[in-house]
C-alpha cells in the first residue's frame, strides 16, 4: 500500500509526556509549500494512549473529507480533543482580535464614562513612552514601566486606564503560528550567515529578527553571559548608561535570574547555534549544485541576481530538512517553558497549549509593577525569562496617577509602536495606528524639539489632517531643555524657534490635504503645543525653576486631555453639494500614485526616490498577508499606502463643494466630519479589495520558491495591485468602473450623513 503523503508519529521533546508530529496538508511552510511541520503536546505519558491519538491523526490525514474546517464539530465528537486541536487550530481566522479580547476582559472606558482616550504617536526615540511614564507616576529608577530604549523594543500596544481600586492587567499574545514564522525567519537568517562564513554573526541573527522588533534574546537569553568582555552593546538597554543591575536588583519578586539558570540559557543558545551551523554545512553541497546550474544564465556583472539565486536556493533546500523544523519547534518549546515560569496571574487555556492571554489583579502596587514587567521589560539582567517579544497588547488599570493629579483623573493613555525614522515625507502611517484615530479623543504627537519636524511626524500631521481629526491634535515637544543657541536664551525664544518649524511644516501640507484643513490645525495650535524637558526624571528631582515650569506644562496638557471628555460634539449639518464627476480625476491620481512606487519596490519599473526592495522583504510581506498575521511588513505597507493616497485625493476634492450654505467655521467642521466618515469607509473598502478578496492571490504570490521565484512573486503582487486598484482612464475597464463606483458610493453616503448631497442624485 502506498504511503499517505502526510502521516503522524509520536516523539519526545522538551514538553512533558508524548508529542505528536506531522506535516499539515493545509498549512504552508515558511517557503510557501504546503506541509508545515506541526508539533503538539498530547498531555499524556501513556504509550498506548499516545499511539491511539497518532492513529486518529493518521485517519484525519488520510481522508481529505476531514480537511474542511467546517467538520471540526463532527471531529470533536469522534476524536480526542488534543488531536482535533492539533489539526484544526489556526485553520480559520480567530473569532475576535486581540483588541476585542482585551475589551471583553477589561473594558476600555470612553466619553460615556467620563473618560478621555489619549493616543500617543511619535517616532522611535522621541520620548513617547518616557512621557507616558511621567503621566502615570512611574518612577524611572525603580518602576521602569513601561520600558524605554532609543531603539525599537516591542510592537505591543500599552493601554493604561487611570482609575481607583485594585491594580488589574490583561496581556494578550501573538498566535503561536505567527511566532513560529518569526522564528523560522531568524533561523534562516542565522543559517545563511553560517553558509556565507559569517560565523560570528550566527547567534546575533538568530536572537535578533531582521526588522529589530522580535528579539529571541529576551526570551532565550544572550549568546554569552552578561558582563563578558565581548558582549554586544545591543544587549544593554539602560537609558542612563549606569550599572542597571545594581540600581534595579531585587525589584522583581523572583530577583535576578540565578546563575545556574543564566548559565543554562547560554548553553541552550550555544546548542541552537551549533545546530544551525551543522544545518548550513549539511546542505551546502546541494545548494552549490543548484547555484552552479542556475548561474550559467547570468552575466558576470549581474552579481545582485546571482546573490538572489544563492539565497533562494539556500532557503528552498533548508526548508526541506526535518532538522530545520525540529529546531524551530524546539525553540517554540523553549518559549512555552517560559510561560510556565510565570508564577502569578492566570494564563488562558490548558497547560502545554499556547495561551491567548494572561490576567492578574492585586491591591499592591509594588507587586503589580514587578509582575507585569515580565511581559513588558527589556531589562538585560532578566534576558532568558522575559516574554516581551510574544506580547501584542498590554492593558492595565489602577490608581496610576501623575504627581499633578494625586487625587485622580479619568484618562485612558494608549501607547503603540513607534514610527520608523524615514526620509520620505510621503511615507504612510500604519493602519494599526490610524485605525485607532476614530476611537481617540486626543491624538498626542510626541516629537523631539531639538530638530525641525522630520518626515515621520509630518506624515502623522498629514494623516490626521486628511482624515478629519485636526481638532483632536495635541503636540508635545520633548528635550526642550536641550535646545541651545546664542539667540535662544529664554524659554520664549526657544518656544518661538520650535513653533516656527511647526508652521513651516504645516505650510507643506496644503498641497496634499487642502488649505481649509491646514487652517483648522493652525487655529489655536499654540495652545495645543507643549514644551517639555526632563521627562525622564521625577519632577521633584529637577531644579526648582525647571520643576515649576514642567509642572505647569504638564498641568495644562492634562487639563486639555480632561476637557476632551467633556466636550460636546459640535457637528453642524449643512447643505453641501458636490459634483461626483470631480472624483474621477482624484481617484485616477491616487491610484497612479499608489502603483508607481510599488512597481519600483518590486523591481518591475523605476520611480523617483524608490528602489527595488530585497526579495526577502517582499516575501516576508506576502507571508504576513497570506497567513493572516498582518497586512504589512516593517515599512512595506500596501494597505496603508492605498488608503492614504485615496484619502488625500478625496480630502482635496471635499475642500471645494459646488454649493455651500454654511459659515466658514461650520463648513470646516462639517467637511472634517465628512472626512472622518470617508476615512473609515475607505479603510474598509481598501482592506476588502486589496487583502480580503485577494487572499488566494497573496498565497500564490508567497508560494514560488527556488530559481526565478523573485520575479514570479513580483509579477503576481503587481497583478494583485492592478486587479484591486485599476486605474480609471478614458477607456475605462469594468474593474476600474467598479472601483470608482464603490468610492463614489462611500463618499456619497458620508456627504449625505452630514446633510449634504451629490449633484445628479435624487
Amino acid at each position: 500500500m502506498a504511503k499517505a503523503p502526510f502521516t503522524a508519529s509520536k516523539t519526545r521533546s522538551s514538553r512533558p509526556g508524548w508529542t505528536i508530529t506531522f506535516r499539515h496538508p493545509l498549512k504552508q511552510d515558511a517557503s510557501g509549500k504546503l506541509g508545515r511541520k506541526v508539533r503538539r503536546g498530547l498531555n499524556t505519558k501513556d504509550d498506548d494512549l499516545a499511539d491511539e491519538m497518532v492513529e486518529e491523526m493518521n485517519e484525519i490525514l488520510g481522508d481529505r473529507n476531514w480537511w474542511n474546517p467546517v467538520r471540526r464539530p463532527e471531529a470533536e465528537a469522534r476524536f480526542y480533543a488534543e488531536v482535533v486541536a492539533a489539526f484544526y487550530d489556526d485553520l480559520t481566522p480567530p473569532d475576535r482580535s486581540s483588541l476585542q479580547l482585551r475589551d471583553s476582559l477589561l473594558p476600555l472606558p470612553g466619553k460615556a464614562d467620563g473618560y478621555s482616550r489619549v493616543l500617543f504617536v511619535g517616532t522611535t526615540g522621541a520620548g513617547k513612552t518616557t512621557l507616558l511614564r511621567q503621566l502615570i507616576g512611574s518612577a524611572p529608577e525603580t518602576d521602569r514601566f513601561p520600558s524605554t530604549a532609543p531603539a525599537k523594543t516591542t510592537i505591543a500596544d500599552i493601554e493604561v486606564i487611570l482609575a481607583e481600586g485594585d491594580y488589574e492587567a490583561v496581556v494578550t499574545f501573538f498566535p503561536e503560528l505567527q511566532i513560529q514564522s518569526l522564528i523560522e525567519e531568524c533561523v534562516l537568517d542565522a543559517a545563511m550567515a553560517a553558509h556565507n562564513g559569517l560565523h560570528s554573526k550566527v547567534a546575533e541573527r538568530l536572537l535578533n529578527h531582521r526588522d529589530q522588533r522580535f528579539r529571541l534574546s529576551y526570551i532565550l537569553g544572550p549568546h554569552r553571559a552578561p558582563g563578558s568582555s565581548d558582549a554586544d552593546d545591543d544587549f544593554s538597554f539602560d537609558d542612563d548608561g549606569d550599572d542597571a543591575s545594581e540600581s534595579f536588583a531585587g525589584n522583581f519578586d523572583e530577583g535576578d535570574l540565578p546563575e545556574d539558570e543564566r548559565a543554562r540559557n547560554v548553553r541552550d543558545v550555544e546548542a541552537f547555534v551549533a545546530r544551525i551551523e551543522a544545518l548550513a554545512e549539511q546542505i551546502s553541497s546541494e545548494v552549490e549544485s543548484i547555484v552552479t546550474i542556475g548561474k550559467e544564465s547570468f552575466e558576470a556583472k549581474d552579481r545582485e541576481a546571482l546573490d538572489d539565486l544563492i539565497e533562494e536556493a539556500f532557503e528552498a533546500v533548508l526548508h526541506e530538512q526535518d532538522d530545520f523544523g525540529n529546531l524551530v519547534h524546539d525553540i517554540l518549546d523553549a518559549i512555552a517553558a517560559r510561560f510556565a515560569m510565570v508564577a502569578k496571574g492566570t494564563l488562558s487555556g490548558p497547560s502545554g497549549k499556547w495561551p491567548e492571554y494572561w490576567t492578574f489583579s492585586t491591591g499592591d502596587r509594588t507587586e503589580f509593577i514587578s509582575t507585569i514587567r515580565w511581559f513588558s521589560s527589556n531589562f538585560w539582567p532578566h534576558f532568558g525569562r522575559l516574554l516581551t517579544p510574544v506580547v501584542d497588547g498590554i492593558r492595565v488599570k489602577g490608581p496610576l496617577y501623575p504627581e499633578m493629579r494625586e487625587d485622580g483623573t479619568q484618562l485612558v493613555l494608549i501607547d503603540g509602536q513607534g514610527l520608523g525614522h524615514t526620509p520620505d515625507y510621503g511615507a504612510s502611517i500604519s493602519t494599526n495606528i490610524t485605525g485607532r484615530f476614530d476611537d481617540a479623543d486626543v491624538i498626542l504627537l510626541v516629537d523631539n524639539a531639538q530638530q525641525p519636524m522630520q518626515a515621520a511626524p509630518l506624515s502623522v500631521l498629514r494623516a490626521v489632517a486628511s482624515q478629519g481629526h485636526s481638532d483632536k491634535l495635541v503636540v508635545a515637544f520633548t528635550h526642550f531643555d536641550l535646545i541651545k543657541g546664542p539667540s535662544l536664551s529664554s524659554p520664549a525664544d526657544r518656544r518661538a524657534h520650535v513653533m516656527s518649524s511647526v508652521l513651516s511644516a504645516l505650510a507643506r501640507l496644503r498641497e496634499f490635504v487642502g488649505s481649509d484643513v491646514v487652517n483648522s490645525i493652525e487655529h489655536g495650535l499654540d495652545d495645543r503645543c507643549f514644551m517639555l524637558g526632563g521627562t525622564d526624571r521625577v519632577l521633584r528631582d529637577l531644579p526648582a525653576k525647571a520643576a515649576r515650569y514642567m509642572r505647569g506644562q504638564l498641568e495644562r496638557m492634562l487639563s486639555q486631555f480632561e476637557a476632551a471628555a467633556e466636550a460636546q460634539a459640535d457637528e453642524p449639518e449643512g447643505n453641501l453639494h458636490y459634483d461626483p464627476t470631480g472624483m474621477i480625476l482624484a481617484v485616477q491620481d491616487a491610484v497612479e500614485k499608489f502603483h508607481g512606487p510599488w512597481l519600483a519596490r518590486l523591481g518591475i519599473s523605476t520611480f523617483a526616490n524608490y528602489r527595488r526592495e530585497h526579495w526577502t522583504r517582499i516575501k516576508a510581506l506576502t507571508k504576513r498577508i497570506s497567513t493572516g498575521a498582518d497586512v504589512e511588513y516593517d515599512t512595506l505597507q500596501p494597505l496603508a499606502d492605498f488608503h492614504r493616497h485615496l484619502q488625500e485625493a478625496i480630502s482635496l476634492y471635499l475642500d471645494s463643494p459646488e454649493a455651500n450654505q454654511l459659515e466658514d467655521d461650520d463648513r470646516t467642521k462639517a467637511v472634517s466630519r465628512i472626512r472622518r466618515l470617508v476615512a473609515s469607509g475607505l479603510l474598509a473598502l481598501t482592506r476588502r479589495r486589496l487583502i480580503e478578496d485577494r487572499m488566494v492571490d497573496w498565497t500564490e504570490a508567497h508560494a514560488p520558491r527556488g530559481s526565478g521565484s523573485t520575479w514570479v512573486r513580483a509579477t503576481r503582487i503587481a497583478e494583485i495591485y492592478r486587479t484591486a486598484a485599476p486605474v480609471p482612464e478614458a477607456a475605462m475597464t469594468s474593474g476600474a468602473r467598479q472601483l470608482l463606483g464603490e468610492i463614489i458610493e462611500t463618499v456619497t453616503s458620508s456627504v449625505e450623513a452630514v446633510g449634504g448631497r451629490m449633484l445628479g442624485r435624487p
Side-chain angles (χ1 to χ4, degrees):
M1 181 181 294
K3 184 180 178 181
F6 301 101
T7 57
S9 61
K10 67 178 185 182
T11 59
R12 292 287 190 184
S13 71
S14 58
R15 302 188 188 206
W18 284 106
T19 296
I20 192 168
T21 302
F22 64 97
R23 291 194 176 274
H24 203 293
L26 301 179
K27 294 180 180 179
Q28 292 182 334
D29 64 19
S31 67
K33 183 181 178 182
L34 288 176
R36 174 183 286 274
K37 190 166 188 175
V38 176
R39 191 164 83 186
R40 297 287 288 268
L42 292 176
N43 293 321
T44 182
K45 296 180 180 179
D46 185 284
D47 289 7
D48 293 335
L49 180 56
D51 287 337
E52 287 183 39
M53 292 182 179
V54 169
E55 287 179 13
E56 289 189 348
M57 181 60 76
N58 281 327
E59 181 179 346
I60 294 174
L61 293 172
D63 185 352
R64 298 180 66 93
N65 292 320
W66 287 112
W67 295 4
N68 190 331
V70 301
R71 295 199 66 184
R72 179 166 185 160
E74 187 179 347
E76 288 173 340
R78 177 168 175 175
F79 303 117
Y80 284 104
E82 291 82 1
V83 173
V84 173
F87 186 84
Y88 289 99
D89 279 0
D90 302 318
L91 284 186
T92 56
D95 294 334
R96 51 189 175 178
S97 68
S98 61
L99 181 60
Q100 291 170 326
L101 179 57
R102 295 196 296 276
D103 283 338
S104 69
L105 296 166
L106 186 59
L108 207 63
K111 272 191 174 182
D113 309 293
Y115 273 78
S116 291
R117 296 181 181 178
V118 183
L119 177 65
F120 287 56
V121 186
T123 52
T124 299
K128 181 167 53 73
T129 306
T130 301
L131 176 57
L132 175 62
R133 280 185 179 182
Q134 189 73 238
L135 296 181
I136 64 173
S138 177
E141 293 301 322
T142 55
D143 291 339
R144 290 181 176 263
F145 172 78
S147 294
T148 63
K152 299 173 185 175
T153 58
T154 180
I155 53 176
D157 287 333
I158 297 179
E159 304 155 335
V160 185
I161 305 168
L162 279 59
E164 291 295 332
D166 285 346
Y167 297 91
E168 302 176 65
V170 173
V171 174
T172 51
F173 305 108
F174 289 108
E176 181 179 16
L177 188 60
Q178 191 168 342
I179 297 301
Q180 181 178 336
S181 294
L182 291 166
I183 294 170
E184 288 168 345
E185 290 168 3
C186 289
V187 173
L188 170 62
D189 288 347
M192 194 69 211
H195 178 73
N196 290 331
L198 303 174
H199 301 287
S200 64
K201 295 292 184 182
V202 175
E204 178 186 330
R205 301 278 172 85
L206 171 66
L207 296 175
N208 296 281
H209 190 271
R210 64 183 74 140
D211 72 0
Q212 299 178 32
R213 289 193 175 104
F214 178 72
R215 304 191 183 209
L216 277 170
S217 57
Y218 286 24
I219 308 173
L220 303 180
H223 183 219
R224 292 179 176 84
S228 298
S229 59
D230 56 349
D232 194 320
D233 285 343
D234 285 346
F235 289 125
S236 176
F237 292 92
D238 180 54
D239 297 338
D240 313 298
D242 296 331
D243 185 352
S245 60
E246 179 179 342
S247 63
F248 200 55
N251 276 350
F252 285 136
D253 286 354
E254 296 86 348
D256 288 347
L257 269 66
E259 284 304 317
D260 61 337
E261 180 180 338
R262 201 184 299 279
R264 184 172 61 252
N265 290 340
V266 171
R267 290 195 300 271
D268 289 345
V269 171
E270 288 177 342
F272 289 143
V273 170
R275 290 170 66 180
I276 291 171
E277 293 269 12
L279 260 175
E281 177 64 27
Q282 176 183 326
I283 67 175
S284 59
S285 59
E286 187 175 349
V287 172
E288 182 60 33
S289 64
I290 294 173
V291 173
T292 300
I293 296 171
K295 70 181 180 182
E296 295 174 358
S297 60
F298 293 101
E299 298 180 16
K301 63 181 180 180
D302 199 357
R303 181 65 202 179
E304 183 178 5
L306 180 57
D307 288 343
D308 285 353
L309 172 65
I310 294 171
E311 291 187 33
E312 289 170 348
F314 186 86
E315 181 192 37
V317 175
L318 180 67
H319 285 102
E320 294 287 348
Q321 310 303 308
D322 280 339
D323 288 346
F324 171 78
N326 291 335
L327 174 57
V328 169
H329 280 280
D330 285 345
I331 295 174
L332 267 176
D333 286 348
I335 295 175
R338 270 57 174 186
F339 281 118
M341 293 180 183
V342 179
K344 298 178 181 178
T346 303
L347 284 165
S348 65
S351 175
K353 183 177 173 62
W354 193 269
E356 280 188 284
Y357 62 87
W358 172 85
T359 57
F360 181 63
S361 178
T362 179
D364 187 312
R365 185 184 189 279
T366 301
E367 180 187 30
F368 181 76
I369 293 292
S370 65
T371 303
I372 194 69
R373 276 191 307 239
W374 290 113
F375 301 95
S376 66
S377 177
N378 56 10
F379 184 58
W380 69 262
H382 294 89
F383 280 17
R385 234 194 247 188
L386 298 175
L387 288 164
T388 307
V390 300
V391 172
D392 83 334
I394 299 174
R395 181 172 297 178
V396 300
K397 179 181 180 181
L400 298 160
Y401 298 127
E403 181 181 316
M404 294 72 61
R405 293 290 189 277
E406 290 181 348
D407 294 333
T409 183
Q410 293 184 306
L411 295 175
V412 173
L413 307 177
I414 304 169
D415 181 20
Q417 59 181 299
L419 306 174
H421 293 275
T422 171
D424 182 11
Y425 169 55
S428 298
I429 303 299
S430 170
T431 55
N432 295 325
I433 295 173
T434 59
R436 303 199 75 163
F437 281 2
D438 274 337
D439 292 332
D441 301 304
V442 176
I443 299 172
L444 178 65
L445 173 59
V446 182
D447 197 25
N448 188 341
Q450 290 178 275
Q451 57 195 17
M453 197 168 270
Q454 303 295 303
L458 284 172
S459 295
V460 173
L461 289 180
R462 193 166 166 174
V464 168
S466 68
Q467 296 186 32
H469 296 286
S470 304
D471 58 330
K472 299 179 180 180
L473 181 67
V474 174
V475 186
F477 287 100
T478 58
H479 304 95
F480 183 65
D481 53 321
L482 301 180
I483 298 177
K484 308 292 183 182
S487 61
L488 304 174
S489 57
S490 70
D493 292 334
R494 293 196 290 271
R495 182 181 181 89
H497 171 74
V498 174
M499 291 305 298
S500 66
S501 76
V502 178
L503 296 176
S504 175
L506 287 173
R508 301 171 61 187
L509 285 179
R510 296 182 188 275
E511 63 179 291
F512 299 104
V513 297
S515 295
D516 281 2
V517 72
V518 173
N519 291 340
S520 70
I521 294 178
E522 290 179 342
H523 180 69
L525 180 64
D526 194 62
D527 292 334
R528 290 182 281 128
C529 286
F530 301 92
M531 308 295 159
L532 308 175
T535 52
D536 59 339
R537 285 171 282 173
V538 178
L539 291 185
R540 60 178 173 272
D541 293 339
L542 293 173
K545 188 175 180 180
R548 284 196 302 272
Y549 170 82
M550 267 292 290
R551 192 171 284 106
Q553 289 288 299
L554 292 172
E555 176 69 48
R556 285 182 50 236
M557 187 167 68
L558 285 167
S559 296
Q560 192 148 118
F561 293 169
E562 293 162 336
E566 302 169 1
Q568 298 298 313
D570 185 10
E571 298 180 333
E573 295 190 355
N575 199 15
L576 296 170
H577 293 182
Y578 290 93
D579 182 354
T581 60
M583 265 188 278
I584 297 176
L585 291 178
V587 174
Q588 181 185 57
D589 180 60
V591 174
E592 288 176 344
K593 286 179 177 177
F594 167 69
H595 282 295
W598 267 103
L599 291 176
R601 292 185 183 106
L602 295 171
I604 293 175
S605 64
T606 59
F607 197 83
N609 300 322
Y610 288 87
R611 55 176 295 180
R612 175 179 173 269
E613 292 281 350
H614 193 273
W615 71 273
T616 56
R617 284 172 52 81
I618 296 296
K619 184 168 185 177
L621 172 67
T622 61
K623 184 177 181 179
R624 296 296 188 279
I625 296 177
S626 64
T627 59
D630 210 337
V631 295
E632 58 195 38
Y633 172 73
D634 197 28
T635 58
L636 301 180
Q637 303 172 332
L639 176 60
D641 291 341
F642 189 24
H643 179 254
R644 174 175 64 86
H645 287 303
L646 285 177
Q647 182 65 34
E648 289 181 353
I650 299 302
S651 178
L652 283 170
Y653 163 80
L654 292 171
D655 235 7
S656 304
E658 294 293 315
N660 165 44
Q661 297 179 358
L662 295 174
E663 296 295 328
D664 286 348
D665 190 46
D666 285 345
R667 172 183 170 279
T668 298
K669 291 178 180 178
V671 174
S672 289
R673 186 180 168 197
I674 296 172
R675 285 190 173 100
R676 292 196 294 273
L677 295 171
V678 168
S680 179
L682 286 182
L683 182 57
L685 184 154
T686 51
R687 179 183 290 273
R688 174 177 54 79
R689 291 188 64 93
L690 195 63
I691 306 296
E692 295 169 1
D693 291 352
R694 304 284 179 271
M695 288 301 291
V696 173
D697 299 328
W698 281 108
T699 300
E700 292 177 351
H702 177 62
R705 54 211 302 262
S707 179
S709 61
T710 295
W711 178 254
V712 174
R713 182 174 300 107
T715 55
R716 288 182 180 178
I717 295 173
E719 180 61 20
I720 291 173
Y721 294 164
R722 188 195 66 78
T723 305
V727 180
E729 297 175 317
M732 201 174 301
T733 64
S734 60
R737 190 176 298 108
Q738 181 187 37
L739 172 65
L740 185 61
E742 290 178 358
I743 293 172
I744 290 176
E745 181 57 37
T746 298
V747 177
T748 298
S749 61
S750 301
V751 169
E752 291 177 346
V754 184
R757 72 183 184 92
M758 285 290 181
L759 299 177
R761 184 180 176 104

